[in-house]
Amino acid sequence: MEQTLSLIKPDAVERNLIGKIINVFEDNNLKIGHMKKIHVDRQFAEKFYEMHKERPFFNDLCNYISSGPLVAMVLEGDNAIQKNRELMGATNPSEAKEGTIRKMFAISIDKNSVHGSDSAESAKREIELFFS
Ligand code: CMP
C-alpha cells in the first residue's frame, strides 16, 4: 500500500467538482485516508511549491493556490503515486488524454484542477505539510 497527496485545486472546488473528482479516485481503487478542505495562505503556498521558486510562473502559482479553498487528500492504494498521476493526466490540459481528470475538468495549465505528488519523496514531504 502506497500513499500520495492529492489536491483538488480552487478552480475545481469553486465549480462544485469535488464529488466528481473523488468518484474518479474511488472508481479506480484509491482510498481516501485523510481529507480536509482548507484555504492556505501565501506563506504556506510558497513552502508547498518551493521546488518551483525559480520558475517564471512561481508568483502566479502561489497567488492562485492561495486564492480560495482547496481539498487536500491522502490517497492510498497499490501504486497510488503513479496511478493518481495517470488519472490526473498531463499538467497542461490541452495535452491530457481523454478520460483523465484534467481533460474532463481543467481550464488551463494554471487552473488545472488537481495536483498529485510526483515521487515517493514528494509524497512524504507534501503529506507532512498538509497533515502533520
Ligand atoms: P502542479 O501539479 O500543481 O505543480 C506545479 C504547477 O505549476 C502545475 O501543477 C501547474 O498548474 C503550474 N504551472 C504553471 N505553468 C506551468 C508550466 N509552464 N509548466 C509546469 N507547470 C506549470
Side-chain angles (χ1 to χ4, degrees), residues 9 49 52 55 57 61 91 102 109-110 112 114-116:
K9 294 186 179 183
Y49 279 129
H52 295 305
R55 309 285 291 271
F57 55 82
L61 178 60
T91 305
R102 285 169 171 157
I109 193 168
D110 303 300
N112 65 353
V114 281
H115 165 87

Side-chain angles (χ1 to χ4, degrees), residues 25-43:
F25 298 137
E26 292 193 327
D27 285 348
N28 286 277
N29 294 324
L30 289 173
K31 293 214 174 298
I32 297 166
H34 303 273
M35 176 165 70
K36 65 180 174 187
K37 189 176 181 191
I38 177 176
H39 189 155
V40 303
D41 64 17
R42 169 82 200 196
Q43 196 183 2

